[in-house]
Amino acid sequence: MPQDPFQQKKDSILAEIRSSETDLSPKGTIDELCLPIMDLINSHKDMVTTSSCSGRVSVFVEGNKVHEKSLKTGGKGEGGRWLFVTHDYTALPSWMDKFRHEIEFDTEFKETLTPSKRYILYKFEPFILHVKCRDFQSASKLFNAAMSCGFRESGIGSNNIVALRINIKLDIPIGYLNEATSRLVFFVNEKYIELIDGLALGKFKENTRKMKELYQIIENQIINPEITTKSTKVIETKEERRERKRREGLLKQRMLLETQNADLMEELNETP
Amino acid sequence: MPQDPFQQKKDSILAEIRSSETDLSPKGTIDELCLPIMDLINSHKDMVTTSSCSGRVSVFVEGNKVHEKSLKTGGKGEGGRWLFVTHDYTALPSWMDKFRHEIEFDTEFKETLTPSKRYILYKFEPFILHVKCRDFQSASKLFNAAMSCGFRESGIGSNNIVALRINIKLDIPIGYLNEATSRLVFFVNEKYIELIDGLALGKFKENTRKMKELYQIIENQIINPEITTKSTKVIETKEERRERKRREGLLKQRMLLETQNADLMEELNETP
């Protein structure tokens, strides 16, 4: 039997995934919302998923800025503190409970805040998946499927690894650490937090909807295009056929709109 | 003389760029901060830039949500209204002036805000550049150069078009449109606006620094690697050589740190 280096690599990656699935601790496990699409992709002989995140909300205090020359904001960084991380939208409403005693609201603050303060950031980051493909041809196929359903920030990288990415984000400074008192000072009120929790919930939903769309497109275009066609030919009644045609038409329309919308967004990005 | 389809395509794209450069209206011109890196890349026989944005701040009211089934937030959408767009950080401080008479501050709002409201969003979006390459080999070279200096969201797409992307963002809801009164209701105060203007300024600076790094890496690795080495051999003194070696060491170190940091971030994304 001839050796197949890609299959060997794939087997070892999948073995690792399986071992982390059986690890029941919250840290280190594969994010379970990703499992269906990972399983689907891994059922293809030329593809293997290498890393994933199903989407998450995180809240953290930025790290120490004293020794940094350029005052970058936006990352946790060294000395930063996680206040909250979740992939599960049902955990959103109560995220402040654990450190509520450390919070101070100051919505009418009058001082000028400099970038050297350690800000508290509230972020939504969407689904992302990396897939190693056997060759450029299979990588292209996957890339094109993703682009056709709105994963506009996807791209092929080194070693035929495709990154599937979408642009659904929030990135909001909600307060800062008062280093003298160690209090978490929020410059937004609780209703604002409720509002952005609501927006984040909307992002989670949109994100899940896009994951499902991606699943469907990968299944129909890549995993079993013949089986899909064949089975519908065999089993469907006239009405089912009409319904299928209607759905296909709607899907095409939606994809067209999505493309037009994305083109428009791109154009706006270029020449605002 | 043999035909060269890539060169023909490149000539036509460059002719278009030149004609938009001479167009002096604010809309439709190439964002001038991108010109140096575009010129550099276009000096390579196998590459041509196809679209660009140097980075910008935008503030807008979301479009009509009445007829939308899923209440997506985050885009301007149909019926939305631009309040402000700039690529120029010096324009930031006075962005509210034009519609100050329409604004109402309500930092102590008590009502629960639903996703169906038309929110006012404040965004920073970073530099992005698309480059069409002659073949996959030249696309890979450009992709690898970008990844090595922190453009971690880059990717190769269809037709060997490389997207050079970095993750420096802000995406903040600052208010909503009161549709009854047509007023712009801000749920943050002016000091908060001042703060996020300051953060956006920091993002502009970081963005420019990363553009310069990318320029340097593309110049050294792709445009004239031999010339760089040769000319330093010919003209440099012992001290200059020592200084160059020191700089190269620092650059390597920084790139290593960047990679480690990016790996760490990726790990955090996977298993928070």
Side-chain angles (χ1 to χ4, degrees):
Chain A
M1 199 176 117
Q3 290 229 336
D4 179 344
F6 180 82
Q7 187 60 43
Q8 282 174 359
K9 176 86 186 155
K10 177 168 175 173
D11 289 343
S12 101
I13 292 169
L14 291 181
E16 209 172 305
I17 290 176
R18 270 188 296 271
S19 77
S20 74
E21 272 173 38
T22 55
D23 168 10
L24 290 173
S25 68
K27 199 184 144 205
T29 55
I30 301 279
D31 194 351
E32 67 175 19
L33 286 166
C34 292
L35 285 178
I37 199 163
M38 285 171 66
D39 285 347
L40 179 75
I41 290 172
N42 288 326
S43 75
H44 193 288
K45 70 175 178 30
D46 299 331
M47 298 177 187
V48 60
T49 58
T50 58
S51 74
S52 65
C53 174
S54 69
R56 67 171 192 177
V57 162
S58 63
V59 188
F60 59 85
V61 183
E62 292 179 316
N64 206 322
K65 291 181 173 179
V66 176
H67 300 296
E68 275 182 47
K69 270 185 203 162
S70 70
L71 292 167
K72 277 206 282 184
T73 60
K76 190 174 122 315
E78 207 183 320
R81 173 184 168 197
W82 292 111
L83 296 175
F84 178 70
V85 184
T86 191
H87 298 91
D88 173 9
Y89 68 89
T90 64
L92 270 183
S94 54
W95 68 265
M96 286 197 294
D97 290 355
K98 275 194 188 156
F99 45 88
R100 189 171 286 274
H101 58 285
E102 301 177 59
I103 300 174
E104 196 169 284
F105 290 93
D106 185 15
T107 56
E108 284 305 326
F109 66 106
K110 296 279 182 291
E111 58 172 325
T112 296
L113 298 171
T114 63
S116 66
K117 281 230 186 291
R118 292 172 56 188
Y119 290 102
I120 303 168
L121 301 181
Y122 182 111
K123 294 199 182 203
F124 180 86
E125 291 158 298
F127 168 70
I128 179 166
L129 185 62
H130 288 92
V131 182
K132 186 170 166 56
C133 296
R134 184 185 293 271
D135 46 32
F136 185 67
Q137 201 193 352
S138 45
S140 292
K141 221 191 276 183
L142 184 60
F143 169 82
N144 288 329
M147 291 296 275
S148 77
C149 72
F151 282 73
R152 299 282 299 181
E153 305 208 353
S154 300
I156 304 172
S158 311
N159 303 318
N160 301 313
I161 292 176
V162 185
L164 304 174
R165 282 194 211 93
I166 194 166
N167 188 9
I168 309 179
K169 293 190 178 172
L170 286 174
D171 197 334
I172 309 172
I174 57 172
Y176 63 94
L177 175 69
N178 181 332
E179 301 204 55
T181 64
S182 293
R183 305 276 286 173
L184 304 169
V185 185
F186 279 26
F187 28 59
V188 293
N189 70 13
E190 287 213 45
K191 280 291 174 191
Y192 184 87
I193 300 290
E194 224 176 76
L195 159 71
I196 58 179
D197 283 347
L199 295 179
L201 180 62
K203 306 258 171 210
F204 268 121
K205 283 185 186 163
E206 193 188 340
N207 188 61
T208 306
R209 190 171 56 77
K210 294 305 291 183
M211 281 170 81
K212 283 183 187 160
E213 259 183 65
L214 183 64
Y215 183 102
Q216 216 53 61
I217 289 229
I218 292 176
E219 185 172 50
N220 295 346
Q221 290 185 5
I222 300 178
I223 303 299
N224 44 18
E226 309 83 12
I227 294 171
T228 309
T229 320
K230 204 171 157 188
S231 70
T232 49
K233 267 183 195 156
V234 174
I235 61 166
E236 73 185 358
T237 64
K238 263 190 189 172
E239 267 130 69
E240 281 167 347
R241 185 184 143 81
R242 199 178 304 130
E243 175 57 20
R244 175 170 63 84
K245 287 288 175 192
R246 192 186 66 84
R247 274 204 316 272
E248 284 175 2
L250 284 174
L251 188 66
K252 263 188 207 155
Q253 240 179 315
R254 196 173 53 184
M255 278 169 56
L256 185 67
L257 280 175
E258 191 88 52
T259 313
Q260 285 169 344
N261 187 33
D263 287 347
L264 192 68
M265 288 303 293
E266 200 168 52
E267 205 175 315
L268 285 170
N269 267 319
E270 286 154 31
T271 56
Chain B
M1 198 176 117
Q3 290 230 335
D4 178 345
F6 181 83
Q7 187 60 44
Q8 281 175 359
K9 176 87 185 155
K10 177 168 175 173
D11 289 344
S12 102
I13 291 170
L14 291 180
E16 209 172 303
I17 289 176
R18 270 189 296 271
S19 77
S20 74
E21 271 173 41
T22 55
D23 168 8
L24 291 172
S25 67
K27 200 183 144 206
T29 54
I30 301 279
D31 194 351
E32 66 175 22
L33 286 167
C34 293
L35 285 177
I37 200 163
M38 285 172 65
D39 285 346
L40 180 74
I41 290 172
N42 288 327
S43 76
H44 194 288
K45 69 175 178 30
D46 299 331
M47 299 176 185
V48 59
T49 58
T50 58
S51 74
S52 64
C53 174
S54 68
R56 66 171 193 178
V57 162
S58 63
V59 187
F60 59 86
V61 183
E62 292 179 317
N64 207 323
K65 291 179 172 181
V66 176
H67 301 296
E68 275 183 47
K69 271 185 204 165
S70 70
L71 291 168
K72 277 206 283 184
T73 59
K76 191 173 122 312
E78 206 182 321
R81 173 185 167 196
W82 291 112
L83 296 175
F84 179 69
V85 184
T86 189
H87 298 92
D88 173 10
Y89 68 89
T90 63
L92 271 182
S94 53
W95 69 266
M96 288 196 294
D97 291 355
K98 275 194 188 153
F99 45 88
R100 189 170 287 273
H101 57 285
E102 301 177 59
I103 301 175
E104 195 168 284
F105 289 93
D106 184 15
T107 56
E108 285 305 325
F109 66 105
K110 296 281 180 291
E111 57 171 326
T112 297
L113 297 172
T114 64
S116 66
K117 281 230 186 292
R118 292 173 56 188
Y119 290 101
I120 302 167
L121 301 180
Y122 182 110
K123 293 199 181 203
F124 179 86
E125 290 157 299
F127 167 72
I128 181 168
L129 186 63
H130 288 92
V131 181
K132 186 170 168 55
C133 295
R134 183 185 294 269
D135 47 33
F136 185 68
Q137 202 193 353
S138 46
S140 291
K141 221 190 279 183
L142 184 61
F143 169 80
N144 288 328
M147 291 296 274
S148 76
C149 71
F151 282 72
R152 299 282 300 181
E153 306 207 351
S154 300
I156 304 172
S158 312
N159 303 318
N160 300 313
I161 293 177
V162 185
L164 304 174
R165 282 193 211 93
I166 194 167
N167 187 7
I168 309 178
K169 291 190 180 172
L170 286 174
D171 197 334
I172 309 171
I174 57 172
Y176 64 94
L177 175 70
N178 182 331
E179 301 203 55
T181 64
S182 294
R183 305 276 286 172
L184 305 169
V185 185
F186 280 24
F187 28 58
V188 293
N189 70 12
E190 287 215 45
K191 281 291 174 191
Y192 184 87
I193 301 291
E194 223 175 78
L195 160 70
I196 59 178
D197 283 347
L199 295 178
L201 180 62
K203 306 258 171 210
F204 268 120
K205 282 184 186 164
E206 192 188 341
N207 188 61
T208 305
R209 192 171 56 77
K210 294 305 292 182
M211 281 170 81
K212 282 183 187 160
E213 261 182 63
L214 183 64
Y215 183 102
Q216 216 54 59
I217 289 228
I218 292 175
E219 184 172 51
N220 294 346
Q221 291 185 4
I222 300 178
I223 303 299
N224 43 18
E226 309 83 12
I227 294 171
T228 310
T229 320
K230 204 171 158 189
S231 70
T232 49
K233 267 182 197 158
V234 173
I235 61 164
E236 74 186 357
T237 65
K238 264 189 188 173
E239 268 131 68
E240 282 167 348
R241 184 184 144 81
R242 200 178 304 130
E243 175 58 19
R244 175 169 63 85
K245 286 288 173 192
R246 194 186 66 82
R247 274 203 316 272
E248 284 173 3
L250 285 175
L251 188 66
K252 263 188 206 156
Q253 243 179 314
R254 197 175 52 186
M255 277 168 58
L256 186 67
L257 280 175
E258 191 88 52
T259 312
Q260 286 169 344
N261 186 35
D263 286 348
L264 192 68
M265 289 304 294
E266 200 168 50
E267 208 176 312
L268 286 170
N269 267 319
E270 285 153 29
T271 57

